Amino acid sequence: MRNLEEKLQELKQEKEALDDLATELELADEDELVLYRVGEAFLHMPLPKAQKRLEQDQSDLDARISNLSTSTEDCDTQMKALKVQLYAKFGSAINLDE
């Protein structure tokens, strides 16, 4: 559960960085080449292509965040249901809080 939450936080930070990049690209000149990160490398590309690539990366990241949020919520729901069952069976003899 913690790993999912940490990964979700990382993705949200990456989303924030892409949003900041979108703002910066709006201020750039149309005919200017910009550096855009692809994997571990940076490539020079024309501004319109970089903006198109950024939109695609943002939508991909939104989908990943949505999927991970759903997985986190499902896991949390299952954990709560299991806690109810375990507390019903063992009472106060166990402590399941983190």
Side-chain angles (χ1 to χ4, degrees), residues 3-62:
N3 290 338
L4 290 175
E5 290 172 351
E6 289 172 5
K7 183 66 175 172
L8 185 60
Q9 193 63 27
E10 288 174 16
L11 290 176
K12 286 181 179 179
Q13 288 175 350
E14 189 174 336
K15 170 77 172 138
E16 193 173 306
L18 288 179
D19 290 342
D20 291 344
L21 177 61
T23 304
E24 289 294 321
L25 287 180
E26 288 175 5
L27 301 174
D29 293 331
E30 283 291 323
D31 56 346
E32 186 177 325
L33 288 177
V34 295
L35 282 174
Y36 193 84
R37 189 176 104 185
V38 178
E40 297 294 320
F42 287 89
L43 301 175
H44 285 281
M45 50 176 72
L47 181 62
K49 186 175 180 181
Q51 288 174 323
K52 209 177 271 187
R53 179 74 184 240
L54 178 62
E55 289 173 7
Q56 180 184 5
D57 288 349
Q58 285 177 319
S59 65
D60 291 346
L61 191 59
D62 286 338

